[in-house]
Amino acid sequence: MANVSIPLPRNAFSIPNCSTKRPSFTPSPSTLRISCSGVAELDGSQNKGIKGMACGILAAITVTSATFPLMAATQRLPPLSTEPNRCERAFIGNTIGQANGVYDKPLDLRLCDFTNEKSNLKGKSLSAALMSDAKFDGADMTEVVMSKAYAVGASFKGVDFSNAVLDRVNFGKADLEGAVFRNTVLSGSTFDDAKLDNAVFEDTIIGYIDLQKLCTNKTIGAEGRAELGCR
């Protein structure tokens, strides 16, 4: 498992070369630290290319996160949608804004039950979706894009998030027991009071500051903490 860290000045948009050595200095308040952890090991130039691409994507997402903060748990949410087939809209996803979270009308999945859904959620764009108190237990959510989603109090027990982009998602008080975050982007996401027992964090891509916050969650097991590099 490789671990790559790069410094990114707040007032710059150029991405320096990734390094496989962790910097020994302490970052100043004007420097943003990014950790690209667990980029797959390949041979030769292909490995360097993948590492560079992963770091570049993470750096761009981190800069964007400073402009688009997460929806706070105390923010007033719109009334529950009365659309008859609102839950089925997840199988189509957000086809307009995608990662930017722009939409013509809210993707309201609150209180919906997608337990053991194995085919219709995979690879969908659920950006800016309202997911609070919904059930996704046992679902296949590989390769989903959930940028800026609001999932406070939702249940994701045993969900497979492999290769997903979970950028700026609010997972506050969510149940993520046994969830799989393999090769998953977790930049800017928050897990306040979330349950992460037996969660798998193999090869996750996460910002340095976000990692420090995630490591304070006491429900993460020893194996998960080792995969994340928590100290």
Side-chain angles (χ1 to χ4, degrees):
M1 181 175 67
N3 190 25
V4 185
S5 297
I6 59 174
L8 179 66
R10 290 186 185 274
N11 59 351
F13 291 91
S14 60
I15 309 302
N17 292 330
C18 292
S19 171
T20 55
K21 295 182 180 180
R22 183 182 297 274
S24 57
F25 62 87
T26 301
S28 66
S30 62
T31 301
L32 209 57
R33 283 287 303 281
I34 297 173
S35 177
C36 304
S37 62
V39 179
E41 291 292 343
L42 300 173
D43 293 331
S45 61
Q46 187 178 8
N47 185 29
K48 294 179 181 178
I50 291 178
K51 287 181 179 179
M53 180 175 64
C55 287
I57 292 173
L58 179 56
I61 289 173
T62 306
V63 172
T64 306
S65 298
T67 308
F68 300 100
L70 277 169
M71 182 186 296
T74 56
Q75 184 169 339
R76 185 176 180 180
L77 299 177
L80 190 67
S81 172
T82 57
E83 185 179 354
N85 299 320
R86 66 181 180 84
C87 294
E88 284 75 10
R89 286 188 61 206
F91 304 149
I92 300 174
N94 183 348
T95 59
I96 299 179
Q98 298 181 358
N100 293 326
V102 179
Y103 52 81
D104 56 346
K105 59 181 177 180
L107 185 58
D108 195 346
L109 307 180
R110 289 175 289 181
L111 302 175
C112 293
D113 191 345
F114 300 101
T115 301
N116 293 323
E117 175 55 62
K118 297 297 185 182
S119 58
N120 292 314
L121 294 174
K122 182 177 180 179
K124 294 298 186 296
S125 175
L126 304 178
S127 298
L130 301 176
M131 299 177 164
S132 50
D133 300 312
K135 292 184 178 180
F136 295 86
D137 299 347
D140 182 351
M141 299 184 73
T142 56
E143 301 179 5
V144 301
V145 177
M146 281 174 54
S147 298
K148 302 177 73 174
Y150 185 80
V152 172
S155 184
F156 297 93
K157 291 187 290 186
V159 168
D160 189 354
F161 285 115
S162 296
N163 303 311
V165 177
L166 309 181
D167 168 46
R168 294 164 288 175
V169 180
N170 190 336
F171 283 114
K173 299 181 180 180
D175 191 342
L176 294 150
E177 181 179 356
V180 177
F181 300 100
R182 184 175 290 111
N183 197 40
T184 305
V185 175
L186 291 177
S187 55
S189 295
T190 55
F191 297 84
D192 297 342
D193 299 318
K195 297 179 181 178
L196 290 162
D197 309 73
N198 301 314
V200 177
F201 294 96
E202 181 182 348
D203 295 341
T204 54
I205 302 173
I206 184 171
Y208 179 79
I209 300 301
D210 299 325
L211 175 62
Q212 303 309 305
K213 294 178 180 178
L214 179 57
C215 286
T216 63
N217 189 302
K218 302 302 182 182
T219 66
I220 302 175
E223 184 174 352
R225 297 182 68 81
E227 290 170 341
L228 287 168
C230 297
R231 297 180 178 179

